[in-house]
Amino acid sequence: MSLLRVENLHAVLKESMEEILKGVNVKVNSGEIHAIMGPNGSGKSTFAHVLMGNPKFKVTSGSITLDGVDLGDLSTDERAKQGMFMTFQHPQEIPGIRLRSFLIAASGELGNMESPIMKSRKIDRLSIDNSFDKDLVDRYLNVGFSGGEKKKSEIVQMQFLKPKLVVLDEIDSGLDVDALKVISKSINSFRSERNGIILITHYERLLEYVVPDYVHVYVDGSVVASGGPDLAREIQQSGYERYAVSLREV
């Protein structure tokens, strides 16, 4: 069943009106994992931000549909309520809001009417499952967290809020091998026929632990090639240059 459908998506940066998405086409079915790989500066993170409705960007043509709902006019919080979730490449520190309180409040906004006590127990269990120090859930969101702790916090949020579509923007960056294995295990366990996952990454390392159904090569604001897991291994060996050359020739 089609979960996410992105068709001929074009978008510009509002400040400069520079086009940064140049006709992106991606389809994600329920139960699938899609990896988006590409060189630095190719627009992978921008694509994620446009999916989530970041107001810095303006869609000029094309469409984004999630589970049959056109997201074109929806704000970021409205998209989240439709079941979309995105982790940040560089999670922000938010003083004054404790992680536990944030999660309990967010789940209520998404329609989870369980008692705060039940929610709190689930948060503690997920923290243990992710080797995430349980004390951190009662600290201000990401404040004083290490890079790995911030990424684990994002995964705990994903598992607790249970979105339909997850966009993981370089969740592997800055992780040591042990943390990568923990996060990969959580991603694999989260995968189900009720959701879809997009992994945005530079490297094939993450895809050794989380095997995608499809790999898309993203260069200069568009998808220029798609294939199976073998495509990621090919990129690891030969890089992105031949895709960039092909695009320049076009």
Side-chain angles (χ1 to χ4, degrees):
M1 176 182 173
S2 177
L3 178 62
L4 175 73
R5 187 181 293 271
V6 179
E7 296 183 317
N8 195 31
L9 188 64
H10 291 253
V12 298
L13 181 64
K14 285 183 179 179
E15 186 176 50
S16 64
M17 296 304 289
E18 176 189 0
E19 187 174 45
I20 36 83
L21 297 189
K22 304 174 182 179
V24 180
N25 291 282
V26 174
K27 178 185 175 184
V28 179
N29 292 322
S30 297
E32 292 180 347
I33 296 180
H34 289 239
I36 296 180
M37 305 182 70
N40 283 325
S42 59
K44 302 184 303 300
S45 293
T46 298
F47 172 57
H49 281 269
V50 173
L51 285 181
M52 279 303 304
N54 187 322
K56 290 183 179 181
F57 306 101
K58 178 182 178 181
V59 172
T60 54
S61 64
S63 62
I64 306 169
T65 304
L66 179 66
D67 205 12
V69 176
D70 186 344
L71 302 184
D73 295 325
L74 300 188
S75 62
T76 298
D77 64 303
E78 291 170 330
R79 295 181 192 211
K81 289 176 181 177
Q82 289 296 326
M84 187 175 285
F85 176 91
M86 174 183 144
T87 66
F88 291 93
Q89 186 174 340
H90 304 290
Q92 297 296 304
E93 297 187 0
I94 306 178
I97 300 178
R98 299 188 189 280
L99 176 54
R100 188 187 302 274
S101 301
F102 166 73
L103 285 173
I104 290 172
S107 68
E109 289 294 319
L110 296 175
N112 184 341
M113 294 296 105
E114 287 183 317
S115 70
I117 292 175
M118 291 298 295
K119 292 178 181 179
S120 190
R121 288 175 180 170
K122 289 182 179 180
I123 292 168
D124 289 338
R125 186 174 67 251
L126 290 172
S127 298
I128 293 170
D129 291 345
N130 286 284
S131 301
F132 183 67
D133 190 336
K134 197 166 68 171
D135 293 340
L136 293 177
V137 301
D138 291 308
R139 285 169 49 181
Y140 293 143
L141 185 54
N142 292 326
V143 175
F145 289 17
S146 68
E149 288 168 345
K150 288 180 179 180
K151 296 301 179 78
K152 288 181 179 180
S153 169
E154 300 272 273
I155 293 297
V156 169
Q157 293 172 46
M158 174 194 76
Q159 291 181 306
F160 182 72
L161 297 175
K162 298 180 179 178
K164 295 177 186 175
L165 179 76
V166 178
V167 182
L168 301 175
D169 187 9
E170 297 196 24
I171 194 69
D172 53 331
S173 65
L175 297 181
D176 60 30
V177 173
D178 290 335
L180 180 63
K181 288 181 178 179
V182 169
I183 283 178
S184 298
K185 181 179 178 181
S186 294
I187 295 170
N188 285 324
S189 67
F190 179 77
R191 179 184 188 175
S192 80
E193 292 303 317
R194 297 184 300 275
N195 60 48
I197 300 172
I198 295 176
L199 300 172
I200 296 175
T201 184
H202 291 299
Y203 306 112
E204 191 257 346
R205 185 178 68 151
L206 172 63
L207 307 185
E208 294 176 1
Y209 300 103
V210 182
V211 180
D213 297 286
Y214 298 96
V215 174
H216 308 284
V217 181
Y218 194 95
V219 178
D220 192 27
S222 63
V223 175
V224 298
S226 296
D230 289 343
L231 181 55
R233 289 187 280 271
E234 176 192 319
I235 290 168
Q236 183 68 17
Q237 293 174 356
S238 58
Y240 297 103
E241 181 58 25
R242 77 181 184 92
Y243 297 103
V245 169
S246 297
L247 190 63
R248 288 194 294 268
E249 289 175 348
V250 171

